[in-house]
Amino acid sequence: VLYEAEIVLQEKDVVLDVIRQRFGLREVRRDGNQILLNGVPVYLRGTCDHHYFPLTCTAPMSVEEHRRHFLALKRIGFNWLRCHTWVPPREYLLAADEVGMMVQVEPPVGIGVDEWEQIVLACRTHPSVVLFCGGNEAVLDEPKIQFLRQFAGIQKQLAPDTLFNPMECLHGVDASELGD
C-alpha cells in the first residue's frame, strides 16, 4: 500500500513551499538465511537488470514504461531486480513501488563515501528498495573490507529498514561480518 504525505510551509496565509512524498510501510530483515518481508519469509526470484534498454540506449524516463516491464516480469513470477552496477532513476523506483517489485541498488564501480550517502538518501524513500549492495566482483583485501564496513554503517544509519549485501559474487568471506 502506498500513501502520500503533504507538508506545507506557510507564513500566515502565504504558502512558502509544499512537498508531497509517496511512501510505503514495510519491514525487511534477515533471520539466518531467510529474508523476511513484513515477518513473512520471501524468496528473491528475479533477474539482473544490466541497464540494457535497446530502444532508447538509456533508462526510460517514463513511469508507465517501467511499470509495463515490471508487470510482465511479475506475470512470470519475478518479485525482485538487481540493478547491476547502476542506480535506477526515480521513475524506475516509482514504478517498482507501485507494482510491488523489490529492488537491489548496486552502485557503479569507483564511487566514494559521499556518492554512497547520496545514493542511499535518494533511494531510501522507496519501499521497493529492500537491499543496498556495496559492489560487484571486487577483490576483497583488507582496505576493501574496511570500505564495505563503512558503506554498511552509512546504509544502516540512513536506511535502517533495508538490508546490506556487501558484494555480489562474494567468495570465501562471511557476509555477516560485513553487513546483513
Side-chain angles (χ1 to χ4, degrees):
V1 176
L2 292 176
Y3 303 94
E4 186 172 292
E6 179 178 271
I7 298 173
V8 178
L9 175 64
Q10 66 183 61
E11 187 176 330
K12 299 185 181 175
D13 293 333
V14 178
V15 174
L16 303 174
D17 201 2
V18 176
I19 186 170
R20 286 180 193 82
Q21 175 70 50
R22 287 189 336 174
F23 66 97
L25 302 174
R26 55 102 181 97
E27 176 194 47
V28 181
R29 63 184 172 87
R30 185 178 70 91
D31 183 16
N33 288 332
Q34 286 192 316
I35 294 176
L36 304 175
L37 178 62
N38 298 329
V40 177
V42 62
Y43 180 75
L44 300 179
R45 296 176 314 275
T47 188
C48 186
D49 190 336
H50 285 89
H51 196 270
Y52 178 67
F53 301 98
L55 298 179
T56 59
C57 295
T58 188
M61 300 312 285
S62 158
V63 173
E64 180 56 38
E65 209 164 321
H66 290 295
R67 185 184 307 117
R68 273 195 306 272
H69 177 68
F70 297 156
L71 288 172
L73 291 172
K74 288 197 79 144
R75 280 192 297 275
I76 61 173
F78 287 1
N79 64 5
W80 172 77
L81 291 167
R82 168 190 170 210
C83 294
H84 176 16
T85 61
W86 68 289
V87 179
R90 184 173 185 267
E91 293 80 7
Y92 184 104
L93 296 176
L94 288 170
D97 292 345
E98 287 178 17
V99 303
M101 182 66 75
M102 294 180 284
V103 174
Q104 173 179 305
V105 173
E106 179 184 312
V109 175
I111 70 158
V113 171
D114 291 339
E115 293 94 351
W116 178 250
E117 286 180 0
Q118 293 305 309
I119 289 167
V120 174
L121 287 171
C123 295
R124 71 178 180 177
T125 61
H126 294 278
S128 57
V129 176
V130 296
L131 274 157
F132 286 93
C133 183
N136 181 60
E137 297 181 16
V139 175
L140 293 179
D141 55 13
E142 279 306 312
K144 185 65 173 185
I145 290 171
Q146 291 307 317
F147 187 72
L148 290 171
R149 282 194 176 116
Q150 188 175 14
F151 269 30
I154 291 167
Q155 175 266 327
K156 281 298 171 204
Q157 178 186 5
L158 298 177
D161 61 337
T162 60
L163 300 177
F164 182 73
N165 178 10
M167 185 70 52
E168 278 299 322
C169 299
L170 187 66
H171 298 285
V173 175
D174 181 359
S176 66
E177 296 177 19
L178 301 174
D180 293 306

